[in-house]
Amino acid sequence: MLKNPRLRSLHARFPKRPWIIAHRGASGLVPENTLTAFVLAVEQGADLIELDLRITRDGHLVVLHDAALERTTNGRGFVHDHTLADLHQLDAGYTFTLDGGATFPFRRLGLRIPTFEEVVTTVPQHIGINAEIKSAPWDPADRQRGQVIAEKLVALVQRHLNLRERLLVSSFDAAVLDTVRRLDPELPLGLCTLPIAPLPEQLRSMVECGYDAFHPMDIGFDEHGAAVVNAAHLAGLLVNVWTVDSPERAIELAALGVDGIITDYPEATRLAIERALGAFVQRP
Ligand code: G3P
Ligand code: MG
C-alpha cells in the first residue's frame, strides 16, 4: 500500500489484516454502544471498536447510535435535548433482547449511555477506536451538531495523547470530516457510504477528497470489490466494510484483501477468518 503518513500509526499497531472492528462493541450479544459491549469486544479479540458519537444539550460527547432515545433506552426524545445528567438516569440495556422480546436480560443492571471519554479511558490502550461522527447531511440542524462533535473530538484528542495513535474518525457526512481535517490534518478519516453510486465511482471521489479510508456498506460491495480494494491500496486508502455478521461473508471479504471487517460478532468473525485463512499476516 502506498505510504500514507496518517495511517502509519494504525498500520504499525495492527499489522495483521483484516482488522476485526467491533460494531458498536460486541453489539450482537449485549446492548450496543455500552461499556459492557466494548469490554466484551476486547475480550473477544477485536482489534478496534466502532462507536457512534452524538452530543448532549450541555455539550458532552456521548456514545449512542440513534438521534432518539427510544430504540435502545427507556428514555424519550432526542439526545441533543437532554443534559448528560438526564441521560445518566437512563437504562441503556432496557430494550435489548435476544429472544424477540420474551426477556430483557440487561434491564436494571446499571448500563448507561457512556461518554466518549469514558470509553476512551475504559478500553485498553492497545485497542483501536473508530469514532463515527453522527451527522445527517440532509438535516441542517443535525449537521450543525455534527460540526460541534467534530470540534469537540479534536479538542479531546489534544487531551488524550494516546488516542491520536489509535483513532480513526469516520462519518457519512463529508463536511464534518473536512472540519476534522482542517482542525487536525494528521488524523485519519474514513467516509462511510451507502450503495447509491457504483463502488469505483465512490472510491474515486474519496481519493479526490483526500480521505484515508473507505467504509462501504457490505450490501453494495459487489463484483467491483476486488478491483476497488486494489485501487484503494494503491492510493493509500483502507477499505473497511460494514456490517458483516455472516462468517462466510467475512471470509470472502478477507480473501479479497479488505483491511477491516466491521461486525456485531467480533469473536465469531475472528475465529472464522482464522480458521479459514490461518493466522495469516498481510502487510501492505
Ligand atoms: O461505521 C460503520 C457503520 O457503523 C455505519 O452505520 O448506522 O451502524 O452507524 P451505522
Ligand atoms: Mg456507526
Side-chain angles (χ1 to χ4, degrees), residues 23-24 50 52 65 130 132 134 170 172 192 215 242-243 262:
H23 182 239
R24 314 180 195 172
E50 187 265 1
D52 304 291
H65 180 274
N130 171 200
E132 185 198 334
K134 281 300 180 199
S170 63
F172 284 93
C192 303
H215 287 200
W242 58 276
T243 303
I262 301 178

Side-chain angles (χ1 to χ4, degrees), residues 137-185:
W138 57 89
D139 176 350
D142 199 57
R143 223 172 184 191
Q144 183 51 40
R145 286 188 289 274
Q147 294 289 350
V148 178
I149 296 172
E151 290 163 15
K152 288 188 178 281
L153 176 60
V154 170
L156 197 137
V157 170
Q158 318 294 339
R159 295 202 300 277
H160 292 268
L161 291 182
N162 171 272
L163 178 57
R164 166 181 298 284
E165 308 298 314
R166 57 183 177 134
L167 180 65
L168 172 61
V169 180
S170 63
S171 184
F172 284 93
D173 188 352
V176 302
L177 294 182
D178 294 343
T179 295
V180 174
R181 175 60 43 88
R182 180 172 53 75
L183 297 174
D184 190 335

Side-chain angles (χ1 to χ4, degrees), residues 6-7 10 164 167-170 181 185-190 212:
R6 280 186 293 268
L7 294 176
L10 290 174
R164 166 181 298 284
L167 180 65
L168 172 61
V169 180
S170 63
R181 175 60 43 88
E186 289 173 14
L187 284 177
L189 305 177
D212 309 292

Side-chain angles (χ1 to χ4, degrees), residues 51-261:
L51 53 82
D52 304 291
L53 290 179
R54 293 200 174 268
I55 192 152
T56 66
R57 196 178 81 202
D58 49 347
H60 292 274
L61 288 187
V62 289
V63 177
L64 196 79
H65 180 274
D66 295 11
L69 296 163
E70 281 83 349
R71 183 179 62 83
T72 55
T73 79
N74 57 346
R76 296 280 174 270
F78 294 108
V79 182
H80 59 260
D81 287 334
H82 292 74
T83 63
L84 183 61
D86 295 338
L87 296 181
H88 274 167
Q89 304 305 313
L90 302 180
D91 185 345
Y94 195 76
T95 63
F96 186 84
T97 180
L98 288 167
D99 52 18
T103 62
F104 295 91
F106 289 89
R107 278 187 183 177
R108 289 178 280 277
L109 295 183
L111 274 65
R112 290 189 322 185
I113 297 171
T115 63
F116 181 53
E117 209 154 0
E118 279 176 312
V119 177
V120 169
T121 53
T122 299
V123 170
Q125 298 201 352
H126 66 277
I127 300 295
I129 297 181
N130 171 200
E132 185 198 334
I133 298 176
K134 281 300 180 199
S135 171
W138 57 89
D139 176 350
D142 199 57
R143 223 172 184 191
Q144 183 51 40
R145 286 188 289 274
Q147 294 289 350
V148 178
I149 296 172
E151 290 163 15
K152 288 188 178 281
L153 176 60
V154 170
L156 197 137
V157 170
Q158 318 294 339
R159 295 202 300 277
H160 292 268
L161 291 182
N162 171 272
L163 178 57
R164 166 181 298 284
E165 308 298 314
R166 57 183 177 134
L167 180 65
L168 172 61
V169 180
S170 63
S171 184
F172 284 93
D173 188 352
V176 302
L177 294 182
D178 294 343
T179 295
V180 174
R181 175 60 43 88
R182 180 172 53 75
L183 297 174
D184 190 335
E186 289 173 14
L187 284 177
L189 305 177
L191 186 66
C192 303
T193 63
L194 296 170
I196 47 182
L199 272 185
E201 204 177 291
Q202 292 188 24
L203 177 65
R204 260 196 305 279
S205 71
M206 219 148 297
V207 172
E208 279 166 22
C209 292
Y211 300 135
D212 309 292
F214 178 21
H215 287 200
M217 189 181 194
D218 183 36
I219 288 168
F221 203 75
D222 53 19
E223 69 279 5
H224 298 293
V228 160
V229 167
N230 285 333
H233 288 176
L234 284 172
L237 275 81
L238 302 168
V239 179
N240 301 320
V241 181
W242 58 276
T243 303
V244 183
D245 287 342
S246 147
E248 293 75 25
R249 179 61 176 156
I251 291 165
E252 282 175 20
L253 291 167
L256 289 179
V258 306
D259 300 280
I261 294 180

